Amino acid sequence: EKGGYPHFMLKEIFEQPRSILDSMRGRLVAENTQLTMSSIREYATRFKNADRIIIVACGTSWHAGLVAEYMIEEFARIPVEVEYASEFRYRNPVIREGDIVVAISQSGETADTLAALELAKSKGALIFGVCNVVGSSIARATDAGAYTHAGPEIGVASTKAFTAQVTVLSLIAMMLAEMRGTMETSALRQMMMEMEQIPAKVEKALQLDKEIQAISEIFKDATNFIYLGRGFNFPVALEGALKLKEISYIHAEGYPAAEMKHGPIALIDENMPVVVIATKDSSYEKIVSNVQEVRARKGRVIAIVTEGDTVIPQMAEFVIEVPAAHEALMPLISVIPLQLLSYHIAVMRGCNVDQPRNLAKSVTVE
Ligand code: M6R
């Protein structure tokens, strides 16, 4: 059942070129700039006139929501708020009829996410679900939705469900841009073509496995890790840190790179591994300075860079090169080395990666 892999997690990491393709299948034909998602079309007027989109989710799904916030605001110019379902449901949130609430959940059974959407529904918002498990409670409670089609995810640490969520959410962002006329047709087509190339690029990123295993060996006994990213890669930093803590039990924190100087920089010394996602995008120059700040305090930088980068390799102790992609889609690629890094470190530490302590695959209690 593990398809020859020692753990479900590794199998699921390696399934991603395929699962991302499955999430796009029948929904994207770049050649003729065609996007199909009947559930969005069905509520076209609501989506077109939406005042605001509120995303509710927990854990990794919340990270996918953050990526979606950046994409939807950039492409479709709709204000987006991303909420932890558990906080949202208990704080008497302002919900208006023109709001659309998007609930993201792999299992479709997360108690807080379900309760948050029920609350929003009672206030008249349209509820849209992005779930992986077909027929799950959240999928049934929504007005409409799009399944992620990642296939069953057994490992407690979410991997292919995350990339499937980001894929579906990026298609939604593109559809909204098309419906609202906020993106030129040529730019939209370009974006769709970029999307079609993602599975092959993920495949390429997976070939870094051995290299990442070697880096993992060096850092397996670390007691802390910091993950930094900016823009679209900021949620990836959070996701990388979550992956590491949940399966290897190493304390890790993800931060927007610029926020570091407002506190966490005090933690940096020669014993602190700092994973920096520094791919070529609109915040590249800024992240170069952030890497310098870490180096100046002797932090041990492991940088995820775009293939061919010549600047960061001179500054970082370890460099992992991933294929170039449009910055909005980079999370689908930059997360791969981070999944592998946490996996290998956890295995080397003798942890039960598929069933980490204290955790369950779906959190059905609040
Ligand atoms: O099934 P859901 O997507 O609603 O689950 C949400 C979180 O419990 C989940 O993402 C959790 O954080 C994972 N273990 C992360 O790997």
Side-chain angles (χ1 to χ4, degrees), residues 58-61 104-108 110 113 156-158 165 239 242-243 246 361-363:
C58 306
T60 287
S61 297
I104 308 174
S105 176
Q106 187 287 129
S107 62
T110 301
T113 309
V156 164
S158 187
Q165 288 165 341
E239 176 59 6
L242 176 61
K243 238 36 354 152
E246 72 178 327
K361 184 62 187 161
S362 53
V363 184

Side-chain angles (χ1 to χ4, degrees), residues 253-276:
E253 295 198 43
Y255 269 96
E259 194 60 23
M260 188 181 59
K261 59 172 75 68
H262 299 282
I265 198 163
L267 293 167
I268 295 176
D269 63 14
E270 65 282 3
N271 297 316
M272 180 64 87
V274 184
V275 177
V276 188

